[in-house]
């Protein structure tokens, strides 16, 4: 039986599909729920779906913002931010913080969330979130195309200098129980989210080379 030809496209020419498949293929993706403060100390909280961890020691996490948004401007000035884990119980509140609010509005208050000042950095953590990473800005990078043309997209990298963990998410041996935290992840179309469960877990150990 002849194998069907793969669907092929070149991004600069358009994908020709109902929705751009990139964010569905690179998925699921953790959510960068980023808290920051502006120069006057006003709080900001926003979710970013281009987010991940990039280094162990020291721990470095980062997110990309398409456009010079409030989070980027705040972090460029304050050199600090807090990442908050977005979980299934907090999904609606997380989604509310994506709204385009007026400059004087506070996303924490708008979404009914409690803000608490971080211990080491100039930002706030979401108290209801079971995990918070306090971060100091390590790099702010403007992305560019292969030909060198600069894009209005900004990669924000931060060194994690303090971690808050809900104690109930650690087992007797001190292992973090990921599925119990109920993190939510982005994938698929504009409204698709996924979760993590123990039923989907499987183990793979790295091969030991002779």
């Amino acid at each position: 039986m002849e194998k069907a030809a793969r669907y092929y496209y070149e991004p600069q020419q358009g994908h020709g599909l109902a929705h751009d498949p990139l964010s569905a293929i690179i998925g699921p993706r953790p959510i960068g729920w980023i808290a920051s403060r502006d120069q006057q100390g006003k709080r900001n909280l926003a979710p970013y779906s281009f987010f991940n961890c990039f280094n162990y020691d020291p721990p470095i996490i980062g997110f990309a913002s398409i456009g010079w948004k409030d989070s980027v401007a705040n972090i460029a000035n304050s050199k600090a931010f807090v990442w908050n884990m977005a979980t299934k119980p907090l999904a609606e509140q997380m989604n509310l913080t994506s709204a385009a609010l007026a400059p004087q509005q506070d996303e924490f208050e708008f979404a009914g969330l409690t803000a608490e000042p971080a211990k080491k950095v100039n930002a706030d953590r979401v108290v209801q979130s079971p995990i918070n990473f306090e971060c100091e800005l390590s790099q702010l990078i403007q992305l560019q195309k292969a030909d060198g043309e600069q894009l209005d997209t900004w990669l924000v990298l931060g060194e994690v200098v303090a971690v808050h963990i809900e104690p109930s998410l650690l087992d007797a041996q001190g292992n973090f129980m990921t599925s119990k935290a109920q993190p939510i992840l982005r994938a698929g179309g504009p409204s698709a989210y996924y979760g993590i469960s123990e039923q989907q877990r499987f183990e793979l150990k790295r091969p030991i080379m002779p």
Side-chain angles (χ1 to χ4, degrees):
M1 183 177 178
E2 185 177 348
K3 187 176 181 180
R6 294 196 172 190
Y7 188 84
Y8 171 86
Y9 71 94
E10 298 176 12
Q12 291 301 311
Q13 306 303 319
H15 50 75
L17 301 170
H19 299 285
D20 189 338
L22 178 69
S23 58
I25 294 169
I26 308 299
R29 304 182 308 283
I31 297 168
W33 203 11
I34 307 298
S36 61
R37 292 179 185 170
D38 68 12
Q39 289 181 295
Q40 288 71 46
K42 177 185 171 295
R43 296 186 298 249
N44 181 270
L45 180 63
Y48 291 85
S49 67
F50 289 163
F51 166 84
N52 223 304
C53 179
F54 299 100
N55 197 57
Y56 270 125
D57 186 19
I60 293 176
I61 63 172
F63 71 95
S65 172
I66 300 173
W68 185 267
K69 296 180 181 175
D70 290 342
S71 297
V72 181
N74 292 349
I75 295 166
N77 174 67
S78 69
K79 305 295 188 285
F81 64 93
V82 174
W83 171 77
N84 307 275
M85 178 179 281
T87 64
K88 186 69 178 297
L90 294 172
E92 292 295 336
Q93 290 97 319
M94 180 278 299
N95 192 45
L96 284 172
T97 64
S98 69
L101 302 183
Q104 68 274 15
Q105 287 187 274
D106 184 321
E107 287 85 1
F108 280 88
E109 293 179 358
F110 180 73
L113 295 165
T114 305
E116 181 174 280
K119 292 184 179 296
K120 295 195 59 132
V121 304
N122 181 23
D124 301 88
R125 68 186 188 91
V126 176
V127 172
Q128 289 88 343
S129 175
I131 310 291
N132 318 99
F133 290 171
E134 300 184 19
C135 301
E136 294 179 352
L137 177 66
S138 58
Q139 289 176 273
L140 177 56
I141 303 166
Q142 184 174 10
L143 300 188
Q144 63 182 37
K145 295 168 60 175
D147 63 6
E149 178 186 345
Q150 291 189 316
L151 301 172
D152 187 23
T153 300
W154 304 84
L155 176 62
V156 180
L157 298 173
E159 179 180 342
V160 180
V161 296
V163 177
H164 304 254
I165 302 176
E166 166 58 44
S168 65
L169 299 178
L170 298 173
D171 67 15
Q173 290 72 44
N175 298 308
F176 180 73
M177 298 180 285
T178 306
S179 62
K180 189 174 181 181
Q182 301 183 71
I184 54 175
L185 310 109
R186 288 287 283 118
S191 61
Y193 287 81
Y194 288 81
I196 293 175
S197 70
E198 281 299 310
Q199 290 70 36
Q200 294 174 311
R201 174 177 172 170
F202 63 96
E203 304 283 343
L204 286 176
K205 293 184 179 180
R206 291 184 180 181
I208 299 175
M209 302 304 292

